[in-house]
Amino acid sequence: MRKLHRFKAAIGMAVILMLTACGSNGVPDAKNWDMEDFSNVNQDGKPFSKENLKGKVWVADFIFTNCEDVCLPMTANMVKLQQMLKDEGISDVEFVSFSVDPEVDKPEVLKEFGDQFNVDYTNWNFLTGYSQDDIEAFAMDNFKTIVQKPDNEDQVIHQTSFYLMDQDGKIIRDYTGLQGIPFDEMIKHIKILQNY
């Protein structure tokens, strides 16, 4: 009888640990950070907001077109993720790249940047149309990440993460977007969100 009681207690504890580890949406170590509404313009100069992403899983990053180092490989890696999802027949995933240098990155500049990578714009929007102060506050308040453009410099300090959002616009996970990208893990988490 005592062994049975211990066994039930052990099973109960294991279930609790599994549920805790997976978070409320089934993705391990989910952050579940709320994100404020935003309304910007994309590479075509068309309005684009959080409302456009409602009901869809999406992946975001922070880049700028004048970047001398990390933004080029990050964007190439995002193109690779976009193609991998297509190859697996996974649809309804959106991509969003927020410019961290909005004064320079006008819509036509972002379009030219994306064209260099043969970006498929059907589900990828490059966003601008806000102030430098706005994007710095937005990144910190929502993604808990630094964006800073030092005075009299043309390079912007920013992180190199890819962020996964669920259908409600909650920030679920972040992953390295520069080297050793966990593509398979990201795709697995996207599948979990879509089937949840």
Side-chain angles (χ1 to χ4, degrees), residues 8 18 27 30 32 42 45 57 64 73 85 110 117 164 173-174 180:
K8 284 181 178 177
M18 282 172 56
V27 174
N32 291 311
N42 69 8
V57 174
F64 66 109
L85 289 168
L110 288 170
F117 296 91
L164 176 63
R173 287 286 303 266
D174 65 327

Side-chain angles (χ1 to χ4, degrees), residues 61-122:
D61 67 355
F62 294 92
I63 56 96
F64 66 109
T65 62
N66 198 31
C67 184
E68 295 175 352
D69 45 27
V70 298
C71 301
L72 297 174
M74 284 175 65
T75 304
N77 290 332
M78 193 77 94
V79 168
K80 182 175 179 181
L81 177 61
Q82 186 185 41
Q83 187 59 51
M84 288 174 76
L85 289 168
K86 276 187 203 171
D87 292 346
E88 290 213 22
I90 300 170
S91 58
D92 283 338
V93 178
E94 296 285 324
F95 296 86
V96 176
S97 291
F98 293 95
S99 169
V100 295
D101 194 13
E103 299 303 319
V104 172
D105 289 343
K106 304 303 181 193
E108 62 275 11
V109 177
L110 288 170
K111 182 73 161 60
E112 190 177 319
F113 179 79
D115 287 349
Q116 294 176 52
F117 296 91
N118 296 312
V119 164
D120 179 354
Y121 296 107
T122 57

Side-chain angles (χ1 to χ4, degrees), residues 137-154:
F138 178 78
M140 182 55 70
D141 293 346
N142 296 277
F143 293 85
K144 321 293 189 242
T145 189
I146 188 169
V147 168
Q148 185 177 18
K149 186 171 186 179
D151 291 340
N152 304 314
E153 290 191 27
D154 65 354

